[in-house]
C-alpha cells in the first residue's frame, strides 16, 4: 500500500473513532425525567438521600436508580392483557380501588371499554364512568392522553410489558408489572397470595410503595432501529427472471439480477425495541445472506436462517433459545446471535452499548429478508437494504419488587428453572 493510501486509511480510522462514542456505560443523567412527575434518583450523584429525597426511604440501597416524585401522582395508565376473563376481573377490581379509594384518575385503552365484561357489569358502572381514554384511531388523541400518565400498571405477562413499551417511543413513566400471563419473567409482582385455603389481595401494598416513592428501578435498555432503503438496487422476482426473454440459459434464473438507478438512500424513522430485532429469511427457501457492520466496518457475514440483535432484557427471550447467554438487564450491551448459521464456529457475541450495528442484505443475495421489532411490524427488506441499530437513551423504568438483582435471579429460577438438578448423594464411606 502506498504511503498516501496509508495516510487516508489512518485518517478514516481517526474520524470513525471521533464519530462513535465507545462508552461502556449508559448515562441517563440528562434524561432523568420519566413522565410528567417521576424522576430518577441516582446513587452516584446523590450520596445524601435526605437532601436528594427528603422524607423518602430508599429501598434496595445497592441499586443505582430510585424513583422519587416531584409532586403527587394523579393519573395512572392501566394496560391489561386482552381475552382473559381472570385478568379482566382483576383489572376491574384494581381500577375500582384506584378510583374510589385512592381518588386517582385511571387511563385505559378504548378497546378495554368495549370488552363485554367491562361494558355490561352493573356493579362496575360507577368506576367505568370515571375512566378516561383516547379517541380510537386518532393518533394525536392517543399521544396527548398517554403523555398525561404519571405511572403505568401492567396486568398480564411479558407481552403486555413489551406492548406498553411500544406505545412510548421516547420518555416512558415508571411501570409496575403484575404477573398474570404465561411466563411473567419481566413481571415481578404477584396480584394475590395464598393464605391457608384463601387468596388475599396484595396489589395494594405494592402500589402504595410505588406511589410513595423510594422504590428501586431497573432501567431496561432499548435499541433504536431504522431501516435504510437502497433505491440504487432493484431486483426482479424469480418469476420475472423465468419469463425474461433475454435471460441466459447458463445463468441461474433465481439469482435475482439487478438494475441500477441513481443511488439514493432513505432512512425510516427509528423504532424503539425493548427485547430484540430479528432479521430472518422469512418464507424464502434459501439461506439468508446478510452482512454485519460495526461502526461502519464490515465485521462478518451471516449465512443461515438469520440474526438476532437483543438487548440485555431480550437475552432471556429468542436469543436464549438460539443458544446465547443470559445478561442482567443493568449491563449496558447488545447481543448478536445467529439463527441456525451454516457454520460450526459462529457463536453469539456481546458488544458495547455505544457501538452502531448495521445488518445489510447482501446485494447478491438470492432472496430478500424479513425484519421484525419485538415480534411486531414484520416487513420485508430487499437486497441492498439494511437495518441500523444503536442503543437508545430512552430506557424503560421498571419498578423492582425485592431488588434489582434478586428479582432477576428469582425469575431465572421460577420461570426458566435455571440450573435445577437433584443434589448428588452424600458419600458414604
Amino acid at each position: 500500500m502506498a504511503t498516501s493510501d496509508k495516510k487516508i486509511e489512518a485518517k478514516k480510522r481517526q474520524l470513525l473513532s471521533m464519530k462513535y462514542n465507545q462508552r461502556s456505560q449508559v448515562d441517563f443523567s440528562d434524561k432523568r425525567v420519566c413522565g410528567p412527575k417521576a424522576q430518577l434518583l441516582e446513587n452516584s450523584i446523590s450520596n445524601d438521600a435526605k437532601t436528594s429525597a427528603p422524607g423518602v426511604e430508599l429501598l434496595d440501597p445497592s441499586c443505582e436508580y430510585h424513583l422519587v416524585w416531584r409532586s403527587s401522582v394523579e393519573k395512572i395508565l392501566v394496560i391489561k392483557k386482552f381475552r382473559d376473563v381472570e385478568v379482566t376481573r382483576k383489572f376491574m377490581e384494581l381500577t375500582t380501588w384506584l378510583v374510589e379509594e385512592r381518588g386517582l384518575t385511571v387511563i385505559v385503552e378504548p378497546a378495554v371499554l368495549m370488552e363485554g365484561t367491562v361494558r355490561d357489569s352493573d356493579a362496575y358502572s360507577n368506576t367505568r364512568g370515571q375512566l378516561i381514554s383516547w379517541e380510537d384511531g386518532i393518533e394525536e388523541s392517543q399521544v396527548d392522553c398517554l403523555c398525561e400518565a404519571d405511572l403505568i400498571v401492567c396486568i398480564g405477562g411479558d407481552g403486555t410489558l413489551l406492548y406498553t413499551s411500544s406505545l412510548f417511543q421516547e420518555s416512558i413513566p415508571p411501570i409496575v408489572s403484575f404477573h398474570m400471563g404465561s411466563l411473567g419473567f419481566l413481571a415481578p409482582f404477584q396480584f394475590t397470595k395464598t393464605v391457608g385455603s384463601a387468596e388475599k389481595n396484595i396489589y395494594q401494598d405494592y402500589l402504595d410503595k410505588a406511589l410513595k416513592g423510594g422504590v428501586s428501578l431497573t432501567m431496561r435498555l432499548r435499541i433504536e432501529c431504522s431501516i435504510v432503503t437502497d433505491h440504487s438496487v432493484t431486483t426482479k422476482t424469480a418469476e420475472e427472471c423465468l419469463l425474461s426473454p433475454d435471460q441466459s440459459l447458463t445463468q441461474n434464473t433465481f439469482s435475482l439480477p439487478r438494475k441500477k438507478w441513481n443511488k439514493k438512500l432513505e432512512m425510516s424513522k427509528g423504532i424503539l425495541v425493548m427485547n430484540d430485532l430479528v432479521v430472518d429469511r422469512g418464507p424464502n427457501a434459501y439461506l439468508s445472506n446478510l452482512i454485519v457492520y460495526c461502526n461502519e466496518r464490515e465485521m462478518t457475514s451471516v449465512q443461515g436462517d438469520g440474526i438476532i440483535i437483543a438487548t440485555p432484557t431480550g437475552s432471556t427471550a429468542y436469543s436464549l433459545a438460539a443458544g446465547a447467554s443470559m445478561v442482567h438487564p443493568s449491563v449496558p450491551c447488545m447481543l448478536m446471535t445467529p439463527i441456525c448459521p451454516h457454520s460450526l464456529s459462529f457463536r453469539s457475541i456481546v458488544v458495547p452499548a455505544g457501538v452502531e450495528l448495521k445488518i445489510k442484505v447482501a446485494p447478491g443475495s438470492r432472496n430478500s429478508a424479513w425484519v421484525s421489532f419485538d415480534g411486531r411490524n414484520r416487513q420485508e427488506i430487499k437486497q441492498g437494504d439494511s437495518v441500523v441499530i444503536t442503543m437508545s437513551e430512552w430506557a424503560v423504568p421498571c419498578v423492582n419488587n425485592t431488588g434489582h438483582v434478586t428479582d432477576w435471579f428469582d425469575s431465572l429460577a421460577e420461570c426458566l428453572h435455571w440450573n435445577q438438578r437433584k443434589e448428588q448423594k452424600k458419600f458414604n464411606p
Side-chain angles (χ1 to χ4, degrees):
M1 182 181 291
T3 305
S4 59
D5 294 336
K6 291 181 178 179
K7 290 182 178 179
I8 293 174
E9 290 298 321
K11 186 64 176 178
K12 286 182 179 179
R13 288 194 295 270
Q14 181 183 3
L15 291 173
L16 281 177
S17 64
M18 295 170 60
K19 177 179 178 181
Y20 297 104
N21 174 22
Q22 303 296 327
R23 64 188 186 276
S24 60
Q25 301 295 320
V26 177
D27 182 19
F28 300 109
S29 60
D30 59 338
K31 300 292 182 184
R32 278 180 285 158
V33 177
C34 304
K37 297 181 179 179
Q39 185 172 356
L40 297 183
L41 179 64
E42 295 185 57
N43 283 352
S44 58
I45 61 173
S46 54
N47 295 323
D48 188 352
K50 293 183 180 179
T51 302
S52 303
V56 177
E57 179 187 0
L58 299 184
L59 306 177
D60 186 20
S62 64
C63 186
E64 186 177 1
Y65 298 102
H66 289 82
L67 170 64
V68 293
W69 298 103
R70 297 197 301 273
S71 58
S72 299
V73 174
E74 296 179 351
K75 296 184 179 181
I76 296 182
L77 171 65
V78 180
I79 302 291
K80 65 176 287 292
K81 179 182 179 182
F82 283 96
R83 296 182 294 276
D84 190 306
V85 176
E86 181 64 16
V87 170
T88 301
R89 187 175 67 84
K90 297 296 185 184
F91 161 83
M92 295 167 65
E93 185 177 340
L94 180 141
T95 52
T96 299
W97 178 77
L98 290 173
V99 171
E100 298 186 4
E101 295 192 27
R102 294 304 303 264
L104 298 170
T105 301
V106 174
I107 305 170
V108 298
E109 296 180 271
V112 172
L113 299 177
M114 299 304 296
E115 283 195 35
T117 307
V118 175
R119 183 188 62 228
D120 301 332
S121 174
D122 294 333
Y124 189 66
S125 60
N126 185 48
T127 301
R128 184 177 62 246
Q130 300 181 61
L131 301 179
I132 65 173
S133 185
W134 56 87
E135 190 174 350
D136 196 13
I138 307 299
E139 184 177 353
E140 294 79 4
S141 174
Q142 176 178 335
V143 171
D144 292 342
C145 206
L146 293 176
C147 288
E148 296 178 356
D150 303 320
L151 178 69
I152 301 175
V153 176
C154 288
I155 311 175
D158 297 345
T160 307
L161 180 58
L162 293 175
Y163 168 70
T164 303
S165 168
S166 70
L167 295 176
F168 295 83
Q169 289 296 298
E170 286 188 356
S171 175
I172 178 171
I175 301 177
V176 179
S177 296
F178 287 98
H179 176 197
M180 292 194 70
S182 302
L183 188 64
F185 191 92
L186 306 179
F189 295 100
Q190 297 293 332
F191 203 89
T192 61
K193 72 175 181 179
T194 303
V195 180
S197 58
E199 280 194 348
K200 178 184 177 183
N201 288 330
I202 55 175
Y203 68 88
Q204 301 97 327
D205 299 334
Y206 295 135
L207 289 178
D208 282 337
K209 289 181 181 179
L211 293 171
K212 181 180 178 181
V215 294
S216 65
L217 296 171
T218 293
M219 302 299 293
R220 296 191 177 273
L221 301 175
R222 294 191 285 183
I223 52 177
E224 183 172 354
C225 311
S226 301
I227 296 178
V228 179
T229 304
D230 189 350
H231 294 292
S232 67
V233 179
T234 335
T235 63
K236 295 181 181 180
T237 65
E239 290 78 8
E240 289 173 333
C241 293
L242 287 171
L243 296 174
S244 178
D246 58 348
Q247 187 76 20
S248 171
L249 294 176
T250 60
Q251 184 178 359
N252 183 356
T253 56
F254 291 92
S255 62
L256 299 177
R258 303 180 302 279
K259 294 185 293 185
K260 294 290 182 181
W261 303 93
N262 291 330
K263 187 170 184 179
K264 180 181 179 183
L265 297 179
E266 178 184 347
M267 177 175 285
S268 67
K269 183 180 179 181
I271 300 176
L272 297 191
V273 172
M274 183 175 168
N275 245 9
D276 49 41
L277 169 134
V278 177
V279 182
D280 58 50
R281 62 189 177 94
N284 301 308
Y286 293 103
L287 294 174
S288 292
N289 189 357
L290 309 172
I291 306 173
V292 180
Y293 297 84
C294 182
N295 290 352
E296 295 187 359
R297 176 179 177 179
E298 184 174 336
M299 204 165 58
T300 188
S301 62
V302 181
Q303 296 188 80
D305 280 355
I307 191 169
I308 304 166
I309 305 298
T311 65
T313 296
S315 69
T316 52
Y318 193 2
S319 180
L320 172 65
S325 183
M326 297 179 290
V327 180
H328 188 277
S330 296
V331 178
C333 65
M334 292 183 283
L335 292 86
M336 190 182 78
T337 308
I339 307 172
C340 298
H342 199 251
S343 168
L344 295 175
S345 58
F346 198 167
R347 294 292 179 264
S348 174
I349 63 172
V350 178
V351 297
V355 303
E356 177 189 273
L357 296 177
K358 181 170 73 173
I359 313 298
K360 181 179 180 179
V361 183
S365 176
R366 290 187 176 189
N367 44 248
S368 60
W370 289 75
V371 59
S372 60
F373 310 88
D374 276 344
R376 297 174 177 270
N377 302 319
R378 187 167 173 81
Q379 54 191 290
E380 185 179 16
I381 52 176
K382 301 288 188 178
Q383 290 84 346
D385 295 349
S386 57
V387 185
V388 178
I389 307 106
T390 56
M391 187 62 72
S392 171
E393 57 190 344
W394 301 106
V396 178
C398 295
V399 177
N400 297 319
N401 183 7
T402 59
H404 70 294
V405 174
T406 53
D407 278 359
W408 190 67
F409 279 104
D410 288 344
S411 293
L412 289 182
E414 295 172 9
C415 300
L416 299 180
H417 306 293
W418 176 60
N419 197 30
Q420 291 190 10
R421 180 191 184 278
K422 290 184 66 175
E423 187 175 356
Q424 187 179 32
K425 290 183 178 180
K426 295 180 180 179
F427 178 71
N428 295 319

